[in-house]
Amino acid sequence: MTAERGLPDVLRGNNGERIESVDEWRSKRRPEILALFRTYVYGREPIDRPASLTFETAVTPGMLDGRAVRKQVDIRFEGPGGRGTIRLLLFVPDEEGKGPYPAFLLLNNRGALTTDPQRQVGSPFWPAERIVARGYAAAVLDVEDADPDVDDGHRDGVHGIFDRFDGERPADAWATIAAWAWAARRAMDYLETDPDIDAGRVAVAGHSRGGKASLWAGALDERFALVVSNESGSTGAALSRGKRGETVQAINDRFPHWFNRNYKSFNGREEALPVDQHMLIAAVAPRAVYVASADRDEWADPASEYAALLAAVPVYRLHGFNGLGDAPFPAPESPLIGERMGYHLRSGVHDLTAYDWERFMDFADAGALK
Ligand code: GTR
């Protein structure tokens, strides 16, 4: 499969040398891969955890019919361009004598309707009730708190707060997907401080553009034990080489703010990219990764998402895990659970549904978070 698409060899260093050990992977190849994605795709974030980071938490017990405690956390920070707040909403199961709990953090790209803190409006997009019922804490943040999803030359959001350039914005500066991934990592900064959360068992999840961000967050940040990409498609889980539906050019034309300026130079030239998306998935190894597709989501291209996952298997094998091996592309509603790797194809269109969530939690139950 790798050969068919002419993919860069994930286990060969930039200098052409073969990566033979976990040590070489960790000290050489993984850092190289992250640097390549920073330079050519998502951009370089100017700051990791700001010294100014604070958390302000409002706690409400007795939510979800008494089954959960709600926490609303304002994650605040400050930079040369001003102040920002990412609002984290969290429901933690409330069971006598249990906990700390593993958690699912969703990068919400659908706005407030899907994540009503009062739960007057339930939603399959973020089924907090089901997540809590299955023994997980449910956390969500609105990606637009970190950076509004508009092409404004990266003036608003965390770019405006932290960027300081003499002259033109550099071609490798961070863009919007990277800002959203940064937000996920700041949410993790909070989760690590919460005694009700088992920070060693946290999944970061996202749908579509949110899934691109969850993959980048999970690739960068080894604190996430599980990374879930739902239908993230182009420049998410799907290989760019040989991809159907949304190409590099199509995504850059419609969403110029998502990726850095260097990425535009690969419009119509996927074969020239120094990376492909199997390398992003491989950067998660040996932590658990789950990719989901929908059979009528041709724009995302399920076959290319699955091919990327299998092309990351050699890196899982290097670590002693078989991933999904060489399992054939599955039929709809036939989830695959392998070693540290899972996949399902759902029938239907581009969406994040109750079915998808139940499968993510099955995978977590099967070992990824338990
Ligand atoms: C589409 C875009 C995809 C995907 C999707 C979404 O319009 O082309 O890459 O991100 O939006 O976020 O739902």
Side-chain angles (χ1 to χ4, degrees):
M1 181 163 310
T2 305
E4 273 166 39
R5 298 215 188 200
L7 298 180
D9 188 340
V10 66
L11 284 178
R12 203 171 280 285
N14 291 349
N15 63 4
E17 274 170 30
R18 197 131 194 95
I19 300 299
E20 313 265 10
S21 68
V22 169
D23 248 23
E24 287 175 354
W25 170 259
R26 293 197 57 77
S27 64
K28 293 192 195 146
R29 189 57 175 151
R30 184 172 178 276
E32 264 179 19
I33 287 173
L34 295 177
L36 291 170
F37 277 107
R38 282 191 170 105
T39 303
Y40 294 108
V41 185
Y42 304 106
R44 198 171 299 285
E45 63 281 9
I47 189 165
D48 189 356
R49 178 188 172 129
S52 59
L53 199 74
T54 60
F55 311 117
E56 194 181 307
T57 310
V59 179
T60 313
M63 298 293 297
L64 309 188
D65 295 327
R67 290 204 191 90
V69 175
R70 184 183 66 197
K71 302 190 187 190
Q72 291 168 290
V73 185
D74 282 352
I75 303 172
R76 294 185 209 275
F77 45 85
E78 204 177 325
R83 294 184 180 162
T85 306
I86 296 164
R87 293 158 301 166
L88 185 73
L89 170 62
L90 178 63
F91 288 101
V92 185
D94 190 7
E95 293 172 77
E96 194 62 40
K98 290 218 185 147
Y101 296 93
F104 276 88
L105 166 66
L106 176 69
L107 305 182
N108 175 32
N109 57 292
R110 288 243 180 119
L113 253 190
T114 59
T115 56
D116 170 29
Q118 309 302 335
R119 306 312 289 164
Q120 310 285 9
V121 189
S123 164
F125 196 82
W126 188 58
E129 295 75 7
R130 281 295 303 158
I131 297 171
V132 163
R134 290 192 61 166
Y136 296 92
V140 70
L141 62 84
D142 184 336
V143 292
E144 299 213 32
D145 279 1
D147 190 30
D149 195 359
V150 290
D151 179 22
D152 73 330
H154 298 110
R155 278 190 296 276
D156 60 10
V158 293
H159 303 111
I161 294 175
F162 293 110
D163 285 348
R164 277 295 164 272
F165 303 123
D166 299 329
E168 206 195 0
R169 192 179 160 79
D172 69 348
W174 62 338
T176 292
I177 298 292
W180 297 348
W182 186 89
R185 303 179 61 198
R186 304 295 67 83
M188 187 60 170
D189 293 340
Y190 164 77
L191 293 171
E192 282 188 319
T193 70
D194 188 327
D196 295 330
I197 302 295
D198 181 348
R201 294 187 292 156
V202 175
V204 61
H207 166 65
S208 205
R209 65 197 72 189
K212 305 179 209 294
S214 71
L215 279 170
W216 182 227
L220 287 172
D221 197 328
E222 298 186 288
R223 293 176 297 174
F224 292 111
L226 164 61
V227 182
V228 179
S229 148
N230 195 69
E231 301 160 29
S232 61
S234 177
T235 325
L239 293 174
S240 299
R241 287 170 177 77
K243 188 180 181 307
R244 294 163 189 258
E246 190 175 35
T247 60
V248 170
Q249 164 117 41
I251 202 166
N252 279 330
D253 286 353
R254 280 179 68 212
F255 305 102
H257 55 297
W258 283 359
F259 310 106
N260 69 18
R261 208 162 66 242
N262 282 336
Y263 197 50
K264 283 44 173 192
S265 66
F266 299 100
N267 286 349
R269 309 197 305 132
E270 282 82 356
E271 72 293 342
L273 271 166
V275 291
D276 210 321
Q277 300 303 115
H278 63 309
M279 294 159 73
L280 183 69
I281 296 171
V284 175
R287 292 166 294 132
V289 65
Y290 194 97
V291 171
S293 314
D295 67 353
R296 286 169 56 205
D297 188 9
E298 290 102 3
W299 193 236
D301 189 3
S304 289
E305 294 185 317
Y306 190 67
L309 197 56
L310 289 199
V313 165
V315 179
Y316 280 81
R317 284 203 172 126
L318 181 73
H319 289 82
F321 301 101
N322 198 36
L324 287 175
D326 55 4
F329 188 55
E333 283 79 59
S334 313
L336 299 174
I337 294 188
E339 290 178 2
R340 304 275 173 110
M341 213 180 243
Y343 179 84
H344 75 250
L345 178 68
R346 171 177 55 71
S347 351
V349 297
H350 188 67
D351 199 1
L352 173 55
T353 69
Y355 175 86
D356 299 316
W357 275 104
E358 298 296 336
R359 301 296 77 75
F360 306 158
M361 291 190 279
D362 291 347
F363 181 64
D365 285 354
L369 293 187
K370 284 237 159 120

